[in-house]
Amino acid sequence: SGMDLSLLYKHVLSPLAQHIVDHYTPRTLAPNSITLIGLSWMIVSYGLIWFYDGDAVPWWALAFNGAAMLIYQTLDNMDGKQARRTNSSSPMGCLFDHGCDSINVIFGIGGWHAALGLGSGDLRLRLATSIVPMIPFYFTAWEQSFTHSLVLPIINGP
């Protein structure tokens, strides 16, 4: 079980994902496929950034990364809604979803490094900007494993 108290999630992200699931997503599309499609967008985006080596990433590659993050986030919201819609929720599906989320943290950080121009910058700064976003994610996952509930605060990263 879980609850996201975020105002952005409650009023924008969740209704958008629900609308797309209800009106545009075929019932035959597996929830894990939705998750994997979202992760694929982030992998392609990271590959593009990696191709430019992080120092001179063109604006359109960064814009693509922003769009890929929005698509990933929307599809990540949709997979659970699709699982409930098709009555196919399972612990394995939850594990797959959280596994893709943890992999996506790495690709998201690569995008942030490129946007901040940290491609060949100070190693300590790159490590700090790599580890800091991971800390809340892992503590939240750890908390969920003990409490069997995931509660996100009113202001949190989408």
Side-chain angles (χ1 to χ4, degrees):
S1 73
M3 186 178 354
D4 190 341
L5 302 174
S6 164
L7 297 174
L8 181 62
Y9 177 80
K10 181 179 179 182
H11 297 293
V12 179
L13 302 176
S14 183
L16 172 65
Q18 189 66 57
H19 178 77
I20 295 170
V21 166
D22 291 343
H23 298 288
Y24 303 107
T25 308
R27 287 186 177 271
T28 56
L29 184 61
N32 288 347
S33 297
I34 294 172
T35 304
L36 201 55
I37 291 167
L39 184 61
S40 298
W41 276 87
M42 290 303 295
I43 291 169
V44 168
S45 173
Y46 182 78
L48 220 108
I49 288 170
W50 177 79
F51 177 78
Y52 285 101
D53 201 25
D55 285 329
V57 179
W59 69 268
W60 58 266
L62 295 174
F64 182 83
N65 182 257
M69 288 180 131
L70 180 61
I71 291 167
Y72 177 81
Q73 163 183 305
T74 303
L75 293 173
D76 189 41
N77 271 318
M78 288 171 53
D79 62 0
K81 295 176 186 322
Q82 177 76 343
R84 287 184 288 281
R85 176 182 177 215
T86 59
N87 200 24
S88 60
S89 295
S90 71
M92 185 58 90
C94 184
L95 179 65
F96 183 78
D97 179 52
H98 288 306
C100 287
D101 289 343
S102 62
I103 291 168
N104 185 51
V105 169
I106 296 164
F107 295 125
I109 289 168
W112 279 103
H113 283 174
L116 295 171
L118 298 177
S120 60
D122 181 15
L123 179 61
R124 290 175 297 185
L125 184 58
R126 287 188 314 185
L127 284 173
T129 56
S130 297
I131 293 170
V132 169
M134 292 180 188
I135 292 171
F137 178 83
Y138 288 109
F139 274 119
T140 303
W142 189 27
E143 177 185 14
Q144 182 185 14
S145 71
F146 285 102
T147 64
H148 305 290
S149 180
L150 174 66
V151 180
L152 298 173
I154 197 163
I155 297 175
N156 67 73

